[in-house]
Amino acid sequence: MFHLDKEKFRVGMRTTKSGVAVGFCVLLFKLLDRGSPMLAGLAAVFALREDCSQSLHHGIRRVGGNTVAGILGVTLIAIKDFLGLDFSVDFFGTIIAVIILIMVCNILDMSTAIVGATATFLVVFYNIDDTEKITYAIQRVLDTVIGTSIAIGVNYLLPGAPQTPSEN
C-alpha cells in the first residue's frame, strides 16, 4: 500500500541549490522592496537543472514563453477593449490565444515553457485589473529573468556532483 524508501530521505545538491536560489530571490526582493518574490522563486526552481548550460537553456525558454504570453494577453485585452465585446472575446479569443501561444512556443523550440506561459497568459488576461495588465506582464517577465539568473548563478557558484573521468 504505502512504502517509505529510506534511500529517498536525502538532500542532494540540486535540492540544496534550489533552496539557496529561492532564498536569494527572497533576499533580493526584500533589499529592493520589490514585493512578492513568489514568481522569481518559481522561476529559479524551474530553471535550476543539472548544470549551468541546462539551467540557461530552460531559463531562456521560460523567459521567452512568458514574454509571448504577456504580449498575447495584452493584445487580446486591447482587442476586447476596441471591439467592446466581453464574453465573445473571452471565449473565442482565449481559445485562439492559447493555440497561438502553443504554436509559437513550439516554433521557437520553447515547448518546455508552454505550461508556464499558458499560466502567465491566463493570469494576465483574467486575474489582473485592466489598468495594471501591461505592468504586470512586464513584471512577470522581469521576475522570471531575475529568478532564472539567480538559479544560473547558484548553479555556477555551488559545487555539483563529482564527475568521474568518463564524464569530463
Side-chain angles (χ1 to χ4, degrees):
M1 179 175 132
F2 183 69
H3 173 71
L4 292 177
D5 185 355
K6 292 177 187 173
E7 293 295 315
K8 293 185 180 179
F9 282 93
R10 64 177 177 77
V11 178
M13 278 310 294
R14 187 168 167 191
T15 301
T16 301
K17 289 179 182 183
S18 294
V20 170
V22 172
F24 277 121
C25 288
V26 171
L27 177 63
L28 180 64
F29 275 58
K30 181 68 173 174
L31 292 173
L32 297 177
D33 194 26
R34 187 162 163 72
S36 174
M38 181 191 72
L39 297 173
L42 285 171
V45 172
F46 288 142
L48 208 134
R49 302 295 168 141
E50 297 78 31
D51 56 40
C52 287
S53 66
Q54 287 296 314
S55 291
L56 184 61
H57 173 83
H58 287 281
I60 288 170
R61 277 144 186 81
R62 187 155 170 76
V63 169
N66 280 351
T67 301
V68 172
I71 291 168
L72 278 171
V74 170
T75 301
L76 192 57
I77 291 159
I79 291 169
K80 183 176 174 175
D81 290 345
F82 179 75
L83 295 177
L85 302 171
D86 276 339
F87 180 74
S88 298
V89 174
D90 285 356
F91 181 71
F92 294 109
T94 299
I95 291 169
I96 293 167
V98 169
I99 290 169
I100 290 170
L101 176 61
I102 293 169
M103 286 175 50
V104 170
C105 284
N106 282 328
I107 290 167
L108 297 176
D109 190 31
M110 297 185 310
S111 62
T112 58
I114 289 172
V115 173
T118 303
T120 295
F121 166 76
L122 293 171
V123 168
V124 167
F125 192 69
Y126 287 106
N127 280 6
I128 305 302
D129 290 334
D130 287 346
T131 58
E132 299 176 15
K133 289 183 188 286
I134 293 173
T135 303
Y136 178 82
I138 292 168
Q139 293 301 327
R140 174 94 188 221
V141 172
L142 183 58
D143 288 353
T144 303
V145 169
I146 291 169
T148 298
S149 299
I150 288 173
I152 292 167
V154 166
N155 215 354
Y156 178 77
L157 294 173
L158 292 181
Q163 293 184 329
T164 61
S166 63
E167 294 175 320
N168 289 328

